[in-house]
Amino acid sequence: MVEDLLNVYRNAGKNTVKSLKAAPGLILLPLGLGLLYFLVMNFVGPFVLRGGLLSGILLALIEALLLTLAYSLYQEAIVYKRMPRNISISQDNFWSVYSVLFIFMLINLVTAMTGPLKLFIPLLLTIILNPIPEAIYLRGERYTGAFEFSLRFMKENSLHFILPFLIYIGILSFITPIGVAMLHLGSNIMELPFGIPFQAKTGDFSALGIYVICQLITGVYLIFRGQLFLILENSSRRKRKYMEEWK
């Protein structure tokens, strides 16, 4: 088990380096997306509070658009190891992302009324549905199929896939206040490309520097988990052991 873990992580790390060399600018994507999302929430958010359901749907559409764009760019770097030649958004991917966001929103609304469980349920969903972004943009799963595939994937690869996520959270917890890092554990895993919430105040260069570092770490982690997903999705432990023996 330990040997297989190390081999998988080593290969995922090598592929991550290749992707970063081919598309180094993508390490900055969470930084740009996080700031853009912060601006959207601050300028559109107040209208959502006054505008009701329709404004909430509009905000969700904007979020889905940003995430679909991010996942399209990561797909190019992870699968083809190249800088995206043009920016395009697949309608199928957009509606898949939006549908998953909508289902998560409904789950959050329901769990908000469950008392003590309102913290536990989102954490559980973040763990068991952790690969759902990759299921959509790397495997092409759609709608409820993305949920079903994620559950099957985690049943077979839970330790391999969740360990780097916990290490990522641990690094953020070391750099930032623990509460900020823990937001990732209880937030919608689909929103991972946005990174940590932007909380720096005007003139607070220390907090701004920490934010930039965390977003850069997120950029590297997103590419690594994409490469890790491809390795695990296209192989079994037995197949990987056989291939290592013949190297």
Side-chain angles (χ1 to χ4, degrees), residues 112-130:
M113 300 180 289
T114 57
L117 294 178
K118 68 181 180 181
L119 295 178
F120 173 74
I121 293 176
L123 294 179
L124 177 63
L125 291 177
T126 296
I127 298 299
I128 65 175
L129 296 175
N130 204 270

Side-chain angles (χ1 to χ4, degrees), residues 22-23 26 72-73 76-77 80-88:
L26 288 188
S72 297
L73 296 174
E76 289 282 322
Y80 304 108
K81 295 180 179 62
R82 68 188 183 195
M83 194 69 183
R85 297 173 183 175
N86 52 55
I87 299 176
S88 61

Side-chain angles (χ1 to χ4, degrees), residues 1 4-5 9 126-131 149-166 221 228 232 237 240:
M1 171 67 80
D4 184 58
L5 275 172
Y9 292 156
T126 296
I127 298 299
I128 65 175
L129 296 175
N130 204 270
F149 173 81
S150 297
L151 292 174
R152 292 198 306 270
F153 180 90
M154 289 301 288
K155 183 179 179 181
E156 299 173 4
N157 304 289
S158 55
L159 178 60
H160 289 69
F161 201 74
I162 209 65
L163 185 58
F165 178 70
L166 296 178
Y221 170 65
L228 179 61
L232 296 174
R237 191 181 306 171
R240 291 192 295 270

Side-chain angles (χ1 to χ4, degrees), residues 92-133:
D92 286 341
N93 283 344
F94 172 78
W95 289 115
S96 294
V97 170
Y98 181 78
S99 67
V100 170
L101 287 175
F102 182 75
I103 292 172
F104 271 117
M105 182 189 72
L106 293 179
I107 292 173
N108 288 335
L109 288 175
V110 172
T111 55
M113 300 180 289
T114 57
L117 294 178
K118 68 181 180 181
L119 295 178
F120 173 74
I121 293 176
L123 294 179
L124 177 63
L125 291 177
T126 296
I127 298 299
I128 65 175
L129 296 175
N130 204 270
I132 200 167

Side-chain angles (χ1 to χ4, degrees), residues 2-164:
V2 174
E3 184 179 357
D4 184 58
L5 275 172
L6 294 177
N7 286 333
V8 168
Y9 292 156
R10 182 172 61 250
N11 291 330
K14 289 178 179 178
N15 291 337
T16 299
V17 171
K18 292 178 182 177
S19 291
L20 287 172
K21 286 182 178 179
L26 288 188
I27 196 176
L28 299 172
L29 190 56
L31 179 60
L33 276 180
L35 292 174
L36 184 57
Y37 187 61
F38 171 79
L39 293 174
V40 169
M41 290 300 294
N42 276 269
F43 286 102
V44 180
F47 294 101
V48 172
L49 294 176
R50 295 196 298 266
L53 181 61
L54 290 178
S55 297
I57 292 174
L58 175 61
L59 187 60
L61 287 171
I62 295 173
E63 182 178 348
L65 183 67
L66 293 175
L67 289 174
T68 305
L69 173 62
Y71 290 137
S72 297
L73 296 174
Y74 280 120
Q75 181 188 40
E76 289 282 322
I78 291 168
V79 177
Y80 304 108
K81 295 180 179 62
R82 68 188 183 195
M83 194 69 183
R85 297 173 183 175
N86 52 55
I87 299 176
S88 61
I89 295 176
S90 163
Q91 266 196 3
D92 286 341
N93 283 344
F94 172 78
W95 289 115
S96 294
V97 170
Y98 181 78
S99 67
V100 170
L101 287 175
F102 182 75
I103 292 172
F104 271 117
M105 182 189 72
L106 293 179
I107 292 173
N108 288 335
L109 288 175
V110 172
T111 55
M113 300 180 289
T114 57
L117 294 178
K118 68 181 180 181
L119 295 178
F120 173 74
I121 293 176
L123 294 179
L124 177 63
L125 291 177
T126 296
I127 298 299
I128 65 175
L129 296 175
N130 204 270
I132 200 167
E134 288 75 20
I136 293 174
Y137 83 90
L138 291 178
R139 185 178 164 84
E141 295 292 335
R142 299 286 179 259
Y143 312 113
T144 56
F147 288 87
E148 294 170 3
F149 173 81
S150 297
L151 292 174
R152 292 198 306 270
F153 180 90
M154 289 301 288
K155 183 179 179 181
E156 299 173 4
N157 304 289
S158 55
L159 178 60
H160 289 69
F161 201 74
I162 209 65
L163 185 58

